[in-house]
Each structure stands twice: as structure tokens, then as C-alpha cells.
Amino acid sequence: MLPRGRPRALGAAALLLLLLLIGFFLFGGDVECERGERGGERRGPGSFPCPLTPRVSADGRPRGAAAVDGDPSADRGGRNRSDCVPPRPPLPKCELLHVAIVCAGHNSSRDLVTLVKSVLFYRKNPLHFHLVTDAMARNILEMLFHTWMVPAVRVSFYDAEELKPQVSWIPNKHYSGLYGLMKLVLPAALPPELARVIVLDTDITFASDIAELWALFAHFSDEQVIGLVENQSDWYLGNLWRNHRPWPALGRGFNTGVILLRLDRLRQAGWGQMWKLTATRELLTLPATSLADQDIFNAVIKEHPGLVQPLPCVWNVQLSDHTLAERCYSEASDLKVIHWNSPKKLRVKNKHVEYFRNLYLTFLEYDGNLLRRELFGCPSPPPAGAEQVQRALAQLDEEDACFEFRQQRLTVHRVHVTFLPHEPPPPRPHDVTLVAQLSMDRLQMLEALCRHWPGPMSLALYLTDAEAQQFLRFVEASAVLSARQNVAYHVVYREGPLYPVNQLRNVALAQALTPYVFLSDIDFLPAYSLYDDLRASIEQLKLGSERRAALVVPAFETLHYRFSFPSSKAEVLALLDSGSLYTFRYHEWPRGHAPTDYARWREAQTPYRVQWAADYEPYVVVPRDCPRYDPRFVGFGWNKVAHIVELDAQEYELLVLPEAFTVHLPHGPSLDISHFRSSPTYRDCLQAIKDEFHQDLSRRYGAAALKYLTALRQPRSPA
Amino acid sequence: MLPRGRPRALGAAALLLLLLLIGFFLFGGDVECERGERGGERRGPGSFPCPLTPRVSADGRPRGAAAVDGDPSADRGGRNRSDCVPPRPPLPKCELLHVAIVCAGHNSSRDLVTLVKSVLFYRKNPLHFHLVTDAMARNILEMLFHTWMVPAVRVSFYDAEELKPQVSWIPNKHYSGLYGLMKLVLPAALPPELARVIVLDTDITFASDIAELWALFAHFSDEQVIGLVENQSDWYLGNLWRNHRPWPALGRGFNTGVILLRLDRLRQAGWGQMWKLTATRELLTLPATSLADQDIFNAVIKEHPGLVQPLPCVWNVQLSDHTLAERCYSEASDLKVIHWNSPKKLRVKNKHVEYFRNLYLTFLEYDGNLLRRELFGCPSPPPAGAEQVQRALAQLDEEDACFEFRQQRLTVHRVHVTFLPHEPPPPRPHDVTLVAQLSMDRLQMLEALCRHWPGPMSLALYLTDAEAQQFLRFVEASAVLSARQNVAYHVVYREGPLYPVNQLRNVALAQALTPYVFLSDIDFLPAYSLYDDLRASIEQLKLGSERRAALVVPAFETLHYRFSFPSSKAEVLALLDSGSLYTFRYHEWPRGHAPTDYARWREAQTPYRVQWAADYEPYVVVPRDCPRYDPRFVGFGWNKVAHIVELDAQEYELLVLPEAFTVHLPHGPSLDISHFRSSPTYRDCLQAIKDEFHQDLSRRYGAAALKYLTALRQPRSPA
């Protein structure tokens, strides 16, 4: 019975209020007015609910941040659409985010770099990358991340070879082969203590902070274990052509280019058994997977729909030939992740593709060095090796006139080895790799070099990220270069004002795979027969463990822009006599090669020994385990001389080959050389560096080093 | 009297609830749980208030998103800190944002481009830039935006000259001169219907969406008219040195690098009078402003503190020598806007500066073409001219073998004229500008060219954004180039696979400022006396209105890499005779220059007339208003020939100068040439383009064109 009068009125009001509040609590769900406290995921009824459409729709399918029917995402940062969207619970500050990627081969490795650059550009959290790789990708990426030294980034490698047995029984028509099936075994392969991970394909580009994607884990119900975006094509509807039989899927199915995995729950739920059972059963009626692991994921989800949390379409905007992505981006203004699941040359001319292409190009050509920055407000432990470098750099005196030289010497350049597909040469006795370094302005020489030298080459290229893409296109457009599998190109990313010539040579040298190396320069074309002749000489002379020697290939130069390359020693001699050919740098600096004793070479029919002399810098063939070039020599000047001094100090015989020759072609000075020579301090700094080099020599070789110090002190005729 | 018993309890509960609700309404202010509706600014009590610290502190100073005491911003997107921050009311979708910038001179114009790139990178709204410029900046920026053709960007120019009288009475010690005072007159200068504008300095870089800054207008109380970030140095505290007398300010004062202006309210409040009054008064005791308009803004604010809405420090992180910005970014993880109010070479070695430098460099080198993208979900009207280009491009047949050629011809390249400081030459009769075009691989020629030609030059450079920066550094590092004020460099930004050689020449030609031009190529060095000789010849021959002629400068070439440049015609003849010099392309394509009649030139002592012949492509001096180069010729081949045909068709006499000469130096083939020649279709496409050119000739010159068609059809000896 309701009380009457004033109390009755108050009571009625109170009851009404009470009912209203109860209603909000019931239906408000896990929504609250944005609070400012740091916290983890906030779940359950909140204090300040707002009315919300129910989170489960009539047919039992979960509905929320992304309805699978093409209802575009409502989640757009500060701008929400018609449905009230629960404000995202903030991530704990500096939470470590885990990302897993399967990557095999040279081309995928390059794609992965672009993906990582886009992730790093926007991220504010520490990251841990888990990379499942084959040997080639591991080789590349391990070196790359090691030299990249990005703070607050950790990388772990998992051997794809070891995982192959778990998936090799599945026939797969997709070009990705076994690697395309490996996402299925991630719960088993990744560390057991890892509970959550984002899995990405390599043809993904981020246009947003990956932490926003990670935050979507908070939307998982207790049963959900995997977050996916709808597949934006009709593939799984099975009507693309007659007899088209796709694997089973829920409606259009899901695209596995971007996956949120609750690894802990997957393991608990017996994921390993689950997918194998499903795959086995389907393979009774289907011959193979067509879309690799995506097919199997979809088949499992079809059986267990409750496992999946659909993600907003903006987290995997798929561009391919049959794309229905239009629906997604025609509504949304915030595209978060672009998935180029189609060949690069998209000739489609719609305005959206321009946007996507531009985004992709942005990161393709973005200077990766700029991503070497610490996180604000989060501990950013420097990666291995970085601390040492930083300490050494901090000790440099900025007022030192040679500061730039010293700084360049300490710089650790980001290195991407085997930038292009490369086949290691089959083991062959006495095999020789031509080793050289270059930058953009000498790309022209590559084709000619390939025509002169059929053997393996290891070339270091000093490029910016943008130049690396130009270089890629240059090689792809060249029939001569594309045809060669035994030329390895290693990109060393530009950094600093001075040309790190010896660091570049050392990279190329370290990557050589044959027992011997021919240490050359990019402007030289070797005799057509040199590759074969060298191997013969190496064998005859028993170069290597039995005989410590450096075989000298005499160097010549032509001053003529148009030049008919000599095909034999006899022709060389004829051209010398006619004045069309000179010994190298005959006019400006004969000391560099005079000790080769060209007069003797004319008549020689067998290899002959020569003595080291000051400033001698011949081109030599040595065993691969020779001393490295001294990286203190940056810019230009004395960088080869120092190496020959080192060889001589280590008692390498200098043997001149009677039939070998290599010819320098004329070229304009490079920008790097001009910059260097315009520096007023370079001569003084070069002298200072030479002095330090000789002090080192004394320390290491004692009395034997005296010869070099004496030579250094002798006055020279002006160059 | 409270009722007793059950009704009493209910009543008490109701009363309590009522009191709570009333409390929330009173103090919740303009806060509400995030709703999804599109709407404008939401103000006033909301439906779902949450407790909030009061927005005005005890001393009457407004407190809110940024407390001036160094309390770092709480506004950080999805991650809030201890104070509950009102969720930002969403902006109306596609709201047009207005940005005003004062920009004078060549260097500020470059800075503005970097700023604009950073704004465009993150923006999702249509933008209208209001630029207050001097003549130089206007010239550059008008051309730049016109060729950039960014959708949903509008630009209006305001003449700084006209505004100068309003501020010229104020003595200003700051290097910015009168331009540094112009922000004060924006309320008067900008259109009266414009209510709100963001004002930026040119040394600003954005790291976030400018819409987030615009949204801060919503936090203005009814009295506030100007939003500013605290000045992050001790300047206004007046204790930097003895006798340091800064202008008055509130505490540390405010920095005017980033300003939110309520223009409507400023005008209503009589801003013009207000600041003039304050300035006049202060100038009674202070000799001048030290920090230009910033001093006056601060003085006004000191008098009227209620005018200012302090903005979070992350919106103007100031890096200068005396910066206290550390406090801001040591707390925040979301830096929104960086203000490099200090010279570029910041040798400070802290990790934060690395971050800032990297951000700045990102946009400095970012390919501006990638920003030519439409907005998603907002109408993006194409800028003037763009529609026409798009239509023409859409009509091209992609299957056409010459598609790339046609596409390149239609491409509108982004152009930045006078990239470096340039002094227009004083008017001089018969003055000649050397006109040429180049890309990175020919930078070497510039110094030599400067030594050979003391007169004005107009050079078009085909570069990427990153290369443009390299070029800048190259010129700055070169004493020879930095010394020249009469060499104008115009950057044409790379786009497309083929070299738009004639478009480049046309840009350089259009920018020439003298009555005559010498149409040259970058690989040629003119005779040392050519500049003087040409002017004399032009005068003698009455070139121009009285005589329609093209003066031919005979072309030669050396094949020697080292070469001693001839200082007179006699030396040229001697070198010809000794075989060190040849007429240009003597070996491969003599037809190109043979009609110059070198045999006659040897003996000639006065200018002599020659006749046009097929494939003739001499280097000529003509009046500036000569025909343009035909841009259909892209890549290489026939691009100069077509021009000479045009000149001949317009009845220009071809007069060879007896003492003039220019010499081609050898060089390796450029990447562009190699790419071009590797294209299998180039010969066929070149032929197709030549045919179309000749059809055009027929249309325009009728029977007179017959001569050229006949010449075209004659069989040629193989090149």
C-alpha cells in the first residue's frame, strides 16, 4: 500500500528514481563515463551507464564494435556515430604489446620491414616481435634489427623448419606453401607464458597506433579466443565460378591477415586438436586448402562460432581483385590497417586506391633511421649494443675539428643483407666472389660488371630507404641483372655526412660465401676471362692455408668515354702503347700502383713477387678470412692503402698475375667525393687518422711496424 | 518533519538520491558520457555527469585542460590521467578548419611547406589556409599550391605590404621585423565572416590531427578570446641577465607560435584599439619589442587575464636554448605540436631532441605527392584545374603501348620556384638568362657553370622532396654557389616514370626575368666570355622586336675526362685540329649540329645566316617571349629539335655567332636515360609523338609545315 500525501509523493519519487537506476544497471552493461584513472580493462556495470543497444542480437551472433553485416565500425577515436560506443578502457601505460609474423624468403622480408616501419611510426608502447622465419629471412631480419637498434623493441625468432612437420601433411594450393599454414601452430610455438598476441601478414600497412588494436582484446567475451575482420570478398560464399568449392565459413568468413589471439584460452581449449580434427575432416571431401590457414580457421569457426570476436572492418581493409572493402571505407573516415592482399601494381583508378597506395609508399620509402627514437614516458631500454655505441659517441669532443670523422666511424648503420633474391653459389673449390661497394650514382656499372664477371658477387650499396626502392625497380627492369642469382646486394642505409667506405667493404666482405674474394672497386671492369683465370691461379698457387698471399690484378684506366674493352693482355699492351690506356692514375698518383712493376708485367709469363711500398693500393685476391678494412677511414683517401699495409704486416706475399687486368672507366666525381673534398678539414683529419692507424700498427706488430712508420714520415711529391 | 517508518525510509532514500543528482547537475558542468550523435559543441549540464574538479581555481585563474603551473596536460586521447577530463565533444564531421600563417621570404616559404605537409599528413578535415605573404613568398606559394592540387584544401593570400602601415610604427628588435608583428592585425585582415582561426608560426611541425587542436575552441568560456600555451622559458620572468627588461606578462607568459583566435569576439571587444593602446603605453618605457608580437599579446593579456584560455603544453612544445619544455614532455606521451623556435642545428644531445628532429625530418623529406589524397567521408572538391587533368587522364587508354608517355605529358608536377634565396637581377638592357634543367646526378656541373657564366641563370631541378634537401645542403656547403644571388633554382617534384624534359625547360624559361634567354643544357660549359659577348651581339644585331632571330652558339665536345677549357676561338680551332675537341656528337649524330656549318664558322668574323635542316638542334639565344618547348616530348629524343622546328616555322632567322662557343663535357648516362633506353617501346612511341607533333604543325602553319613533314619522311642513316 502506498503511503498517502507528502510522504507518498516522496516515496513515489524515490521509487521512480530507484526503478530508473535499476534499469540502467541492468542494461548499461560494461559502459561508463570516461574516468581518468589508470587501469586495466574495465568490465561489468559501471557507475554512469548510458543507454546502449544490446550487445547480443536476436540470432545469437555477437554484435558490438563490428557487426559482420557490413555495418561499418563505430569506433573512430573522438568522433562516434549513431550507436553509442562504450569508451575504450585505457590500456595500462607502457603495456608491452606482442606481435607475431610468419616471414619466409627475401621478398617477404622486405615487406615485413615496411610493415614494421608503419607500426613503429605510430606506436607508443614497447613492442615484442615474434618472427617465424626460414633461414634466409632470419639471416636478413636478425642483422637488420640488430643494426637498427630501435629502443623498446624486442625480437624473437622461431625456426619455421621445426614447425613444418606440424603442417606439412596439409595439401595447400596457395602460393605461400607451408609457410601459409603456420599461423595455426602459433599457440604451440610461442612461449607458453604469452597470453595474447596480434598476428599479422607481411602485406599489411598500419595507419594507426597498434595499441588501439590491442585494446580490442577487452571486448572479448569469456568464450571468445580469436578476433578477426570479415573477409571482404565473396570467396567463401562459393559462387565465384562453376565448381567453385571454398572451405566452409560463416557467411563471408573471416580474413586472417590481422588476428587477435588469446593464446592462453586457445591452449586451454585444446586448439591443436581442434584445428587438426576439423582440417582432417574437411580434407576428406576437399582436395586441399586454397587460401592456406585462412581456410582452416574459417572451418573451425563455422563449427564453433562462439570462438570469434568480429573486429571492426577498419582494422583490415582488404584490397584485392574481388574486394568489397568499399563498403568499409565509404563509411569510415579512420582507416586503421590496410591489407594489400593483391599484387603491387594495382591499376585500378579509383580515388581510394590512390590513398592506400600513398600510405603504402609513405612507409616503403620512409627513412627507418628516424624511427630510432625512445618512447616518452615509458622505460625504453636500449637494445643490445646500443648502450656501448651511445657511450662511445658521448665521449667524443664536439669541438674537435675531426668530430664528424670520429662520429661516422662509430655510427652503426642499419643493414639489410641480400635485399634481392639470391642463391648462395654451390660449393666449388677455389671459387672467388667479387667484392665492392657503391651508391646510387654508380648503378650504371652493374650491368657492365655482370657482363664481365659471371661469378658470384657481394656488393654493398649505401642508400636511403627511398633510393633502395629505386634500386629495386632498376634491377627488376634490367634483363641482365634480373637474370643473375649469384649477385648479392646488401643495403647499408645512409646515415651521417661522410662516406663510410670501409664499413661498406666490410659488410660486402663478411657476406661473401666463397673461400676467396676479389677485392675490387665499382668503377673497374675486370677482364672477361678474369673469373676463370683467377680460379686457375688460386689452384696453381695453392692460395690459402698452404700459401699466405694476395694475388695482385694489375689496374689500368682509360680516359676515353667511348672505349673498346681489351679482350687479352696483348690488346692491353697495344692500347698502352697507343696511349688509349694508362696504368691506373698514371698522371695524378702513380705511387698507388707503381709497385706492381708494369714494365715487368709486360713481359711476365708467370706470377712474380713484388714488395710493399708506401701508398701501394693494388686490387687483390685473398682468402675470405683476410683482415677486415679499417673503419676509421671514412670519406676518401688511404682507405685501401691501410688494408694493404695490414696484409703486408701479416706477411701476405704480393704476387702479380701475368695475365690478369682490370680497367677503370672515367666518371664524374660523386656527390660524396665532392662534399668530402670541399671540407677544409679533411686533409688534416685524414692525417690524424693515419697517425692513429700507425700507432695501432705499432701496438700490434711491434718492430715490424717500423717500416710503415718510416714510410709515412717521408716527404711526398705533391699529389 | 520527516515521516516515520517505511515511508520515512523511502523518503529519506529519495531525498538522498535527489540531493546527489542535484549535486551532479551543479558541478558536472559540460560533461557527459560519450554519445554517438553527430553534433556541434555540447555545452551545459549533461545527462550523465561525473565528478570533476572545479574548473576555476581559488585565485580566479581558469584551470582546465592545462594549468599554467606546469601541470602537464591531461588530455591524451584514449589514455587519461588522474583528473577526470571531460570527453571532447565531437567536431561536426567534415567541419572546415581555418589556419592562418604569416610568411615572408624564401626560407620561411620552405619552412611553411614542411609545416603544411605535417598538417596534411594527419588531417581528416577540409582546410582553408590564410597566408599573409610578401611578394616573394606569394610567388612561390601560389605556384606551389596551384600545382600541388591537394583536394579539400583552399588557400587565400593576403598582402603583407598592405598591412605594414598598421604595425610599422612599432620598433621591433626581433629578426622577423615587421612580419613578426602581423599576427596582431589578423582580426582586421581576415574576412569578417571568419569567426575562428588557428594561427601558426612557420617553424612548427604537427605530430597529430589539427582537428584536435580546433576542438579546444569548445573549452573557451564566454569571455575567452584567445587560446595559448605557456611560454616554456624564463624570458618573461625578467631574470635572464642584468638589465633584462622583458615586456609585461602573466607569470611565464604565453608563446604565440600556436594561437587559437576567436576573431568574432576579438573584433567585438575592439581588439584593434586594445592592443594599440597597450603597445603605445608600454613603448613609453620600453624601447622596442624583443619578441615581436608575442610581447604585445602578453602585455594585453597581463591587463586582461580573462581573455586567455591556456592550452595544454603538448600543443606547442618549444625547443629553444632556454627551454623548459622538458617538464611538458617528460610527463606526456602524446606530443601534438613541435615548435623549433631555435636554429636548425640543435647540437643538444638529449634523447628527446632526437625524437623531435626525427619528426621534423620526416616531414621535411616526405614526398608531398603522397598527400594528394581525398578525404574519406567528406566532400573533397578537386582544386582548380585538377578536374580537367583527371578527365584527360581518365580518357587515356591503359592498354596503349605509349600509355606512360601520354600520362607523363599530362602530369602536373608540383613546382617550388626559387627554392633558394634569389635576387632578381636589376634591369639591364640586352640582359640574358642561361636556362637549363637537371636532376641530382648533374649537381657537379653547377659550380663549373657558375665559374663560366657570371650572369643570371634560371635552372629547373627534377627532384624528390628528399633530394631537394640534399640539394639545399649541397648549395649551402659550396662557397661558389652560396655566393651567387642571381641563380634561380626551381624545384619540380618528381612524379611518373619518364623524364619530363620539356616541362622542366618550360618552368625554367617561364621564370627567367631578363629580356633574352640562352637555351642551354646542363652538360655544357659556355665560353668564359660568352655572357658579355652575347649581350654585345644582341645589341648589335638588334635582336628582339626589330629582328626576329635565334642566335646560334656553336656546340663542341671533348671526350677527355681531363680537359683544359679553351679561352678563345683560336684555342678551340687548335683543339679541333689536334683531335682533343670535336663538333658536338660528331661521331654518333652529326646531323644535330652540322647545319651550323662549322667550316664556315672557322673563318667567320661576322654573324652568318644558316638554314634549317632536319634534326637540327642548336643551342640558341632568343627573346624570352619565344615559343615554349612542346611538353609531349618526354624522356629523351627530339625534344630540342621540335623547338627549333617551331622557331623556324615562326620565321626566326638562324644566325651563327662567330666568336661564341659552348663545350660539352663527358659524363656517364643518367639513370633516367638508361631507364628510357631500356624501354622497348620508346622508339615507336617517339615516332608516334613526332607524327602528332607534325600534324599539329600542319594545323597551325598550313603549307609552311610541308617542309618539316617532308624532312620527317626522308630515310635516315642509322644513328
Side-chain angles (χ1 to χ4, degrees), chain B residues 3 40 142 149 233 354 374 421 441 575 587 678 700 709:
Chain B
E142 202 161 30
M149 300 196 300
S233 86
E354 281 310 304
E374 296 194 31
D441 59 341
L575 290 169
H587 296 97
S678 68
R700 284 184 290 133
L709 273 77

Side-chain angles (χ1 to χ4, degrees), chain A residues 197-223:
Chain A
V197 73
I198 292 173
V199 187
L200 302 171
D201 276 355
T202 53
D203 51 358
I204 292 280
T205 308
F206 268 70
S208 55
D209 186 352
I210 194 172
E212 294 180 41
L213 176 59
W214 187 270
L216 298 183
F217 273 117
H219 295 174
F220 280 34
S221 73
D222 293 332
E223 296 75 38

Side-chain angles (χ1 to χ4, degrees), chain A residues 265-584:
Chain A
R265 294 180 182 174
L266 282 161
R267 294 179 194 117
Q268 260 191 324
W271 169 254
Q273 285 291 82
M274 205 189 298
W275 75 260
K276 284 177 182 130
L277 218 65
T278 301
T280 309
R281 202 189 55 242
E282 294 302 326
L283 286 168
L284 294 174
T285 55
L286 292 161
T289 61
S290 298
L291 299 180
D293 44 33
Q294 184 171 289
D295 282 344
I296 298 178
F297 274 106
N298 273 294
V300 173
I301 288 166
K302 174 102 189 214
E303 272 181 78
H304 311 275
L307 290 181
V308 72
Q309 159 69 245
L311 302 176
C313 69
V314 290
W315 285 105
N316 183 354
V317 180
Q318 304 143 38
L319 303 176
S320 69
D321 295 322
H322 300 288
T323 197
L324 302 170
E326 275 252 13
R327 289 188 205 174
C328 180
Y329 54 73
S330 61
E331 293 290 342
S333 65
D334 252 3
L335 301 182
K336 307 280 190 187
V337 170
I338 313 297
H339 186 182
W340 278 106
N341 53 355
S342 186
K344 277 192 207 102
K345 263 191 189 283
L346 220 67
R347 295 201 93 173
V348 183
K349 291 245 164 293
N350 75 66
K351 57 181 184 176
H352 299 117
V353 172
E354 281 309 304
Y355 173 86
F356 300 139
R357 189 184 288 127
N358 288 354
L359 187 79
Y360 175 73
L361 288 175
T362 295
F363 293 110
L364 196 62
E365 303 184 347
Y366 187 77
D367 181 354
N369 297 336
L370 298 179
L371 295 165
R372 254 193 201 131
R373 54 188 191 221
E374 297 195 31
L375 299 179
F376 279 102
C378 291
S380 296
E387 270 198 276
Q388 199 182 10
V389 174
Q390 281 167 23
R391 242 178 296 138
L393 281 165
Q395 284 169 5
L396 293 182
D397 174 14
E398 284 179 37
E399 300 309 311
D400 177 5
C402 304
F403 172 74
E404 281 192 337
F405 288 80
R406 306 193 187 291
Q407 187 187 45
Q408 191 76 44
R409 185 252 180 283
L410 290 173
T411 302
V412 173
H413 295 91
R414 195 169 30 114
V415 176
H416 186 133
V417 298
T418 56
F419 194 67
L420 284 155
H422 172 248
E423 279 297 318
R428 210 190 294 189
H430 324 300
D431 206 357
V432 200
T433 299
L434 189 151
V435 169
Q437 48 78 26
L438 64 149
S439 51
M440 275 313 267
D441 60 342
R442 296 288 187 260
L443 287 194
Q444 262 64 264
M445 292 302 295
L446 291 176
E447 287 191 348
L449 199 50
C450 280
R451 290 196 189 93
H452 283 249
W453 179 274
M457 296 197 231
S458 178
L459 307 173
L461 293 92
Y462 196 50
L463 307 174
T464 63
D465 292 62
E467 287 173 337
Q469 293 306 313
Q470 277 185 269
F471 165 66
L472 190 60
R473 288 192 288 272
F474 179 80
V475 173
E476 285 170 352
S478 159
V480 174
L481 298 180
S482 310
R484 293 287 288 269
Q485 292 291 300
N486 63 353
V487 177
Y489 302 99
H490 315 295
V491 176
V492 178
Y493 287 98
R494 277 188 174 263
E495 194 176 350
L498 296 171
Y499 197 76
V501 59
N502 278 354
Q503 288 185 2
L504 296 173
R505 289 190 176 118
N506 284 340
V507 168
L509 183 49
Q511 296 296 321
L513 299 169
T514 56
Y516 302 93
V517 289
F518 170 36
L519 305 176
S520 185
D521 266 338
I522 195 62
D523 296 306
F524 280 84
L525 292 180
Y528 285 109
S529 61
L530 189 65
Y531 176 58
D532 295 325
D533 292 348
L534 285 180
R535 285 181 300 139
S537 302
I538 287 167
E539 182 171 15
Q540 280 169 18
L541 296 166
K542 295 185 173 40
L543 187 68
S545 45
E546 292 197 38
R547 185 168 195 174
R548 177 174 271 205
L551 310 182
V552 174
V553 178
F556 300 88
E557 69 178 359
T558 172
L559 304 179
H560 290 267
Y561 180 55
R562 266 182 306 277
F563 175 65
S564 179
F565 198 91
S567 52
S568 65
K569 176 171 176 175
E571 275 191 47
V572 170
L573 296 178
L575 290 170
L576 277 172
D577 293 338
S578 71
S580 296
L581 206 63
Y582 289 91
T583 59
F584 184 54

Side-chain angles (χ1 to χ4, degrees), chain A residues 36 81 124 334 362 366 376, chain B residues 36 81 124 334 352 362 366:
Chain A
R81 299 201 65 233
K124 297 178 167 54
D334 252 3
T362 295
Y366 187 77
F376 279 102
Chain B
R81 299 200 65 236
K124 299 182 166 54
D334 254 2
H352 299 118
T362 295
Y366 187 77

Side-chain angles (χ1 to χ4, degrees), chain B residues 507-574:
Chain B
V507 168
L509 184 49
Q511 296 294 321
L513 300 169
T514 57
Y516 302 93
V517 288
F518 170 35
L519 304 176
S520 186
D521 266 340
I522 195 62
D523 297 307
F524 279 84
L525 293 180
Y528 284 110
S529 61
L530 190 66
Y531 176 58
D532 295 326
D533 292 349
L534 287 180
R535 287 182 298 141
S537 302
I538 287 167
E539 182 170 14
Q540 279 169 22
L541 295 168
K542 298 187 171 44
L543 188 67
S545 46
E546 290 197 40
R547 187 170 194 171
R548 176 175 273 203
L551 309 183
V552 175
V553 178
F556 300 88
E557 71 177 358
T558 172
L559 305 180
H560 290 267
Y561 180 56
R562 266 183 304 280
F563 175 64
S564 179
F565 199 91
S567 51
S568 65
K569 176 172 176 175
E571 276 191 46
V572 170
L573 297 178

Side-chain angles (χ1 to χ4, degrees), chain B residues 484-516:
Chain B
R484 293 287 288 268
Q485 293 292 300
N486 64 352
V487 177
Y489 301 99
H490 316 293
V491 175
V492 177
Y493 287 100
R494 277 187 174 266
E495 193 173 355
L498 297 171
Y499 197 76
V501 60
N502 277 354
Q503 288 185 0
L504 295 173
R505 289 187 175 123
N506 285 338
V507 168
L509 184 49
Q511 296 294 321
L513 300 169
T514 57
Y516 302 93

